[in-house]
Amino acid sequence: MNIIEVKNLKKSYHDGETDTKALDGVSFSVRRGEFLAIMGPSGSGKSTLLHVLGMLDDPTSGKFIFDGKDIGSYSRDELAALRNRKVGFVFQAFNLLPRTSVLENAKLPLVYSDVPENEWDERAKKVVEAVGLGHRMNHQPSELSGGEKQRLAIARSLINNPDIIFADEPTGNLDSKSGKNVMSILQKLNEEEGRTIVLITHETSTAEHAERIIRLMDGIIESDQLVKNRMSINAEYVK
């Protein structure tokens, strides 16, 4: 079953008399439980595509079906609720609250959820421990390494048990060892828990943790291929 289907998706930005096409007729689907990587150079449209798929931005035209329903039929409030309930995000810049503990950062999406407040701590502790940060529960982001910050961002993305996780250049600010550990966590979530993951990256070595790679160029899909030699889960993954 497909969780995402897009058909002839277009996105243009207008600046005075200039019309820039970021996406120019993109069509593909994402199976539930799939790990898809979207690659492309700067300006290829991959970040724009992520923002549209993550319901952070609207397409100019085309059809976007999420979990069997046309996104165009939702109101703004309904989209916000859907995004909070069914979508998790991991960003290159981490987007953590600086003077707030690891536990409180992980709990943040619950503020906008229907989860009873008396369950928040238990949920947050579970996802923080799942990414190997149980010993850092009361630390602040400034006391974490780059890899630990990204693991916390992954924990936060899992707090509402989303149907899909969007990871935007999750290894971009990390050294190679930390990057491999972060990708191992994402791959483990996909292979062992069946999480649907859409990864945005410009690095081939990172993309090869996925099972399928879509390459964009100038807002058009250049290729859509299965990964023949998928990277194995890193043995250094923190349990």
Side-chain angles (χ1 to χ4, degrees):
M1 179 180 176
N2 293 330
I3 186 170
I4 283 177
E5 294 178 55
V6 294
K7 299 176 183 178
N8 199 28
L9 203 67
K10 297 183 179 183
K11 178 66 180 180
S12 296
Y13 294 101
H14 302 278
D15 183 11
E17 297 180 358
T18 305
D19 186 6
T20 303
K21 291 182 179 180
L23 298 174
D24 192 12
V26 172
S27 299
F28 66 95
S29 60
V30 181
R31 290 182 293 102
R32 188 175 291 276
E34 186 173 17
F35 191 157
L36 169 68
I38 299 173
M39 293 189 69
S42 178
S44 63
K46 61 185 188 296
S47 292
T48 298
L49 180 56
L50 177 92
H51 289 157
V52 171
L53 297 180
M55 294 169 274
L56 299 170
D57 199 0
D58 298 322
T60 302
S61 64
K63 184 164 285 190
F64 175 17
I65 308 294
F66 183 89
D67 201 19
K69 189 171 180 180
D70 192 332
I71 288 300
S73 66
Y74 288 94
S75 69
R76 285 288 176 190
D77 289 344
E78 288 172 335
L79 271 180
L82 179 70
R83 189 167 56 239
N84 181 257
R85 189 174 71 253
K86 295 200 170 190
V87 178
F89 293 98
V90 180
F91 295 104
Q92 179 178 351
F94 316 129
N95 292 357
L96 303 174
L97 298 178
R99 289 178 291 278
T100 304
S101 71
V102 164
L103 186 68
E104 293 300 316
N105 265 285
K107 283 161 56 174
L108 187 60
L110 294 173
V111 173
Y112 307 100
S113 74
D114 295 327
V115 178
E117 192 169 353
N118 60 5
E119 297 179 14
W120 290 5
D121 278 357
E122 182 181 353
R123 277 205 181 202
K125 287 176 182 177
K126 185 176 179 180
V127 294
V128 168
E129 289 169 355
V131 298
L133 289 179
H135 63 299
R136 296 287 209 179
M137 203 79 70
N138 297 313
H139 288 66
Q140 294 187 355
S142 61
E143 301 172 291
L144 305 180
S145 68
E148 287 173 330
K149 289 176 183 177
Q150 197 59 289
R151 280 193 268 153
L152 173 54
I154 293 172
R156 184 184 55 196
S157 78
L158 294 170
I159 194 74
N160 278 327
N161 193 27
D163 288 352
I164 188 167
I165 295 172
F166 292 103
D168 189 5
E169 299 280 7
T171 63
N173 285 334
L174 306 179
D175 60 60
S176 59
K177 181 179 178 180
S178 297
K180 288 177 182 178
N181 280 336
V182 164
M183 289 312 303
S184 293
I185 292 174
L186 291 175
Q187 192 170 342
K188 192 177 182 75
L189 289 170
N190 172 250
E191 293 185 2
E192 299 186 6
E193 297 186 18
R195 302 274 182 181
T196 307
I197 296 174
V198 175
L199 166 74
I200 299 293
T201 183
H202 65 277
E203 300 172 338
T204 300
S205 60
T206 299
E208 288 176 348
H209 284 270
E211 55 189 315
R212 174 182 164 208
I213 299 175
I214 287 177
R215 287 181 168 84
L216 288 180
M217 179 64 72
D218 298 328
I220 298 171
I221 292 179
E222 190 176 51
S223 65
D224 184 347
Q225 299 175 323
L226 297 177
V227 177
K228 292 182 179 179
N229 298 305
R230 187 181 185 187
M231 298 280 285
S232 60
I233 292 178
N234 190 345
E236 295 182 38
Y237 168 72
V238 181
K239 296 182 179 180

